[in-house]
């Protein structure tokens, strides 16, 4: 006799206990009683929920019975069977589910079927997913696109490219819809030459969120993306494309990408400072000894920002050869020596400092530059290194460093995914009398807003991973008490439409890389008295 006999007359605790036992035992003999309770609920939410749990358990061990009920059932029983078939990957349900999808156009029902088929997997449903990427229901479209990527369907590439192209047209590019986002991810998953060439061609898509998704997808692809990015790091390529491609190569960190970047420097693919900065920073990010030659060559550039990027990279690659070259350059004196000393301090290149500290007057010059800095973080970084070096000379130099004091006065938030840019912002802002806070992306920056931190000015990059500058500013402007904080966006973007889009999100003004410290200070002064 079934333990569910006279179930409705049992006490609440007995009902729960019995259903727990049925769910654990998964005895098919209890199925008929469970079906009756499922189709005619007892009216107690907890008990009815447990009936569904027990029924799921019993059906999970009987594929044939579940598929039979799937064909025969209606309403909620059919929906439950659809879900069970997906959850437990019942392959024999696929023909039934496909037939149901053809016979029923209700979007909610179709979504249930597609979800089940996506969990079961296999190419049998490929035609169904293809046919629904233009469905009127966005959830169905997204589900279908995801499965085309999982099944690596090459035939869908032209249709997927269409989503991204439409989102780049006038009147469409201001918002990245979910279907475009998923189309980019799907193209990356399919991974054909056509798909990856197209993704790289959209590195500079007009929508910043699409650009971020493209960057993320290429970074995840790793070394496989390098040959396609190489086509962009070439003479005559668009400046913005080269910058974004160099950034991705730096994030990927593949040695094949390093060769491409070093060629770009050696053969002078571009004379634009922003492009060269992006390439030097990417070489530093990859961080192999092979890149040292290019980084050392970068010290000949007049741009202070490039010097900081080079020194940030060199700090992780210090060796006797690097120290010897730096001693030679600094020892020669002149403006180049001063630029390098400033870059070491700004980048907090403590390993470079350690290699040069014992070099007589060069070590003295470095200490003078460190002491002159107004950035407490700089003092603390080099203080820690001096403690590590030890000795009477180091102790004497430690005593020269100002003690940390509680920050007072105006505050600035700087947001950029580049460590060297953040280092430069700290240097400029502290010299202008601001207490700087820095963040590597919009999400990290917004965490300060969520903590109700107050800033007098915010400086943000446009293109960043995780959360780009426009999304960050948009969230900022929707947050109480942050509607009027001046926001200056730093960008290399040459397209006017991007600035217009940024203004709509709430950006007050722009400054274009490359810029000088005085130019940034002047721009801030326009908004903060």
């Amino acid at each position: 006799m079934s333990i569910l006999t006279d179930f409705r007359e049992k006490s609440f605790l007995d009902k729960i206990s019995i259903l727990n036992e049925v769910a654990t035992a998964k005895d098919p003999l209890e199925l008929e009683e469970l079906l009756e309770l499922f189709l005619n609920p007892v009216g107690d939410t907890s008990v009815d929920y447990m009936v569904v749990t027990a029924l799921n358990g019993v059906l999970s061990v009987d594929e044939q019975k579940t598929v039979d009920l799937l064909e025969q059932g209606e309403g909620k029983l059919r929906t439950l069977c659809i879900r069970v078939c997906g959850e437990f990957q019942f392959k024999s349900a696929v023909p039934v589910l496909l037939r149901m999808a053809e016979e029923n156009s209700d979007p909610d029902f179709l979504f249930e079927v597609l979800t089940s088929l996506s969990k079961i997997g296999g190419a049998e449903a490929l035609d169904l997913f293809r046919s629904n990427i233009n469905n009127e229901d966005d959830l169905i479209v997204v589900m279908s696109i995801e499965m085309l990527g999982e099944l690596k369907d090459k035939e869908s590439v032209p249709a997927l490219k269409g989503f991204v192209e439409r989102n780049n047209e006038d009147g469409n590019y201001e918002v990245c819809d979910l279907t475009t986002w998923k189309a980019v991810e799907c193209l990356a998953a399919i991974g054909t030459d056509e798909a990856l060439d197209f993704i790289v061609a959209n590195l500079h898509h007009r929508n910043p969120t699409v650009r971020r998704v493209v960057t993320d997808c290429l970074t995840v692809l790793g070394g496989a993306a390098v040959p396609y990015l190489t086509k962009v790091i070439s003479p005559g390529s668009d400046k913005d494309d080269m910058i974004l491609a160099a950034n991705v190569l730096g994030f990927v960190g593949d040695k094949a990408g390093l060769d491409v970047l070093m060629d770009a420097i050696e053969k002078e693919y571009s004379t634009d400072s922003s492009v060269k900065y992006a390439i030097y920073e990417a070489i530093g990010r990859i961080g192999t000894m092979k890149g040292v030659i290019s980084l050392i060559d970068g010290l000949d550039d007049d741009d202070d920002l490039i010097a900081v990027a080079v020194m940030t990279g060199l700090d992780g690659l210090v060796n006797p050869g690097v120290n010897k070259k730096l001693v030679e350059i600094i020892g020669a004196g002149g403006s180049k020596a001063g630029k390098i000393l400033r870059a070491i301090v700004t980048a907090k290149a403590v390993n470079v400092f350690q290699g040069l500290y014992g070099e007589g007057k060069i070590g003295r010059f470095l200490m003078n530059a460190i002491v002159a800095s107004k950035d407490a973080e700089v003092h603390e970084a080099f203080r820690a290194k001096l403690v590590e070096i030890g000795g009477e000379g180091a102790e004497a130099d430690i005593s020269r460093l100002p003690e940390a004091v509680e920050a007072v006065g105006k505050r600035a938030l700087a947001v950029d995914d580049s460590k060297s840019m953040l280092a430069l912002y700290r240097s400029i802002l502290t010299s202008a009398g601001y207490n700087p806070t820095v963040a590597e992306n919009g999400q990290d920056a917004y965490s300060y807003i969520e903590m109700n931190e107050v800033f007098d000015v915010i400086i943000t990059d446009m293109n960043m991973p995780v959360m780009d500058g426009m999304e960050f500013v948009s969230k900022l402007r929707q947050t109480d008490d942050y509607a009027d904080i001046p926001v200056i966006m730093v960008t290399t973007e040459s397209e006017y439409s991007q600035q217009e889009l940024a203004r709509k999100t709430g950006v007050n003004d722009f400054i274009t890389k490359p810029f000088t410290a005085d130019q940034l200070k002047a721009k801030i002064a326009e908004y903060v008295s």
Side-chain angles (χ1 to χ4, degrees), residues 37-87:
L37 290 169
F38 175 73
L39 295 171
N40 301 287
V42 300
D44 184 297
T45 303
S46 299
V47 174
D48 292 335
Y49 176 80
M50 282 300 301
V51 167
V52 174
T53 301
L55 184 54
N56 268 305
V58 171
L59 290 174
S60 72
V61 297
D62 194 338
E63 179 171 343
Q64 185 58 56
K65 186 62 178 179
T66 305
V67 175
D68 290 343
L69 288 171
L70 174 65
E71 290 194 90
Q72 301 162 11
E74 296 181 354
K76 66 177 186 177
L77 177 58
R78 183 174 60 178
T79 299
L80 181 138
C81 291
I82 292 172
R83 292 174 180 175
V84 170
C85 288
E87 183 178 353

Side-chain angles (χ1 to χ4, degrees), residues 168-481:
N168 207 24
E169 294 171 353
D170 291 344
N172 294 335
Y173 72 88
E174 292 190 7
V175 177
C176 170
D177 54 74
L178 186 57
T179 53
T180 301
W181 184 316
K182 292 299 178 181
V184 173
E185 292 181 339
C186 183
L187 287 164
I190 293 170
T192 62
D193 287 344
E194 180 185 3
L196 296 183
D197 274 331
F198 179 77
I199 290 177
V200 170
N202 280 276
L203 270 167
H204 197 237
H205 193 282
R206 293 166 77 186
N207 182 274
T209 303
V210 176
R211 292 199 295 272
R212 175 163 54 82
V213 176
V214 166
T215 297
D216 290 346
C217 286
L218 291 170
T219 302
V220 169
L221 280 171
V226 172
Y228 303 93
L229 291 163
T230 299
K231 299 173 185 179
V232 180
I233 307 290
S234 59
S237 289
D238 177 79
K239 179 190 82 169
D240 294 322
D241 284 348
M242 287 186 72
I243 290 169
L244 292 168
N247 289 342
V248 176
L249 287 173
F251 293 141
V252 168
D254 190 89
K255 291 181 180 179
L258 177 62
D259 291 337
V260 175
L261 294 165
M262 291 179 66
D263 275 350
I265 292 296
E266 183 181 348
K267 298 174 182 176
E268 295 188 342
Y269 288 170
S270 175
T271 58
D272 184 273
S273 292
S274 296
V275 174
K276 290 194 290 182
Y277 165 76
I279 292 173
Y280 280 120
E281 182 168 63
I283 291 172
R285 271 194 177 129
I286 295 171
T288 65
M289 293 307 299
K290 186 177 181 180
V292 167
I293 297 173
S294 290
L295 291 174
I296 292 291
D297 288 344
L299 295 175
D300 290 330
D301 198 284
D302 293 331
D303 192 306
D304 283 344
L305 179 56
I306 288 178
V308 175
V310 166
M311 206 53 63
T312 301
L314 285 176
D315 197 49
L317 300 169
V318 171
N319 62 45
V322 171
N323 291 336
K324 182 179 179 181
K325 187 64 178 178
L326 289 175
V327 167
E328 177 186 323
I329 298 172
I330 298 172
S335 59
K336 185 186 293 186
K339 179 190 66 178
I340 293 174
L341 291 172
R342 290 194 301 273
I344 293 170
V345 176
T346 299
K348 298 196 289 289
V350 294
N351 297 317
V352 171
F353 167 74
Q354 184 173 11
L356 301 178
Y357 181 65
E359 296 291 337
K361 64 178 182 180
I362 293 177
R364 297 301 90 202
F365 290 153
L366 259 176
M367 274 308 308
N368 290 339
I370 293 165
V371 172
S373 171
K374 296 181 180 180
D375 189 345
E377 277 199 13
V378 165
H379 298 150
E380 289 309 304
F382 288 101
R383 188 193 311 277
K385 180 55 70 173
L386 285 166
V387 170
E388 182 183 322
I389 292 170
E392 291 183 5
E395 289 180 8
D397 283 331
I398 289 172
S399 68
R400 296 178 61 197
L401 295 174
E403 292 295 331
V405 296
E406 185 177 350
V408 294
K410 295 172 185 172
R411 298 188 63 198
L413 172 62
V415 194
D416 202 296
D417 60 312
S418 161
K419 289 183 179 179
S420 52
M421 277 303 304
L422 291 178
L424 187 66
Y425 288 140
R426 287 195 63 89
S427 176
I428 295 172
L429 290 167
T430 52
S431 69
Y434 285 84
N435 296 309
T437 298
V438 297
E440 292 187 1
N441 57 66
Q443 182 171 291
D444 288 349
Y446 193 73
S447 68
Y448 291 110
I449 306 304
E450 291 178 311
M451 292 186 290
N452 296 316
E453 298 278 357
V454 177
F455 300 100
D456 295 281
V457 65
I458 294 175
I459 303 154
T460 181
D461 192 21
M462 179 182 287
N463 298 309
M464 295 180 287
V466 186
M467 182 188 290
D468 58 73
M470 291 199 206
E471 185 179 351
F472 164 61
V473 176
S474 180
K475 287 190 70 173
L476 179 79
R477 294 310 191 204
Q478 296 173 43
T479 305
D480 291 343
D481 301 326

Side-chain angles (χ1 to χ4, degrees), residues 2 4-5 29-38:
S2 169
L4 291 169
T5 301
L29 295 176
E30 307 294 348
L31 181 58
E32 294 305 319
E33 293 286 351
L34 280 173
L35 286 171
E36 194 279 328
L37 290 169
F38 175 73

Side-chain angles (χ1 to χ4, degrees), residues 477-494:
R477 294 310 191 204
Q478 296 173 43
T479 305
D480 291 343
D481 301 326
Y482 291 91
D484 299 322
I485 293 176
V487 176
I488 298 167
M489 183 165 276
V490 183
T491 179
T492 59
E493 295 287 342
S494 56

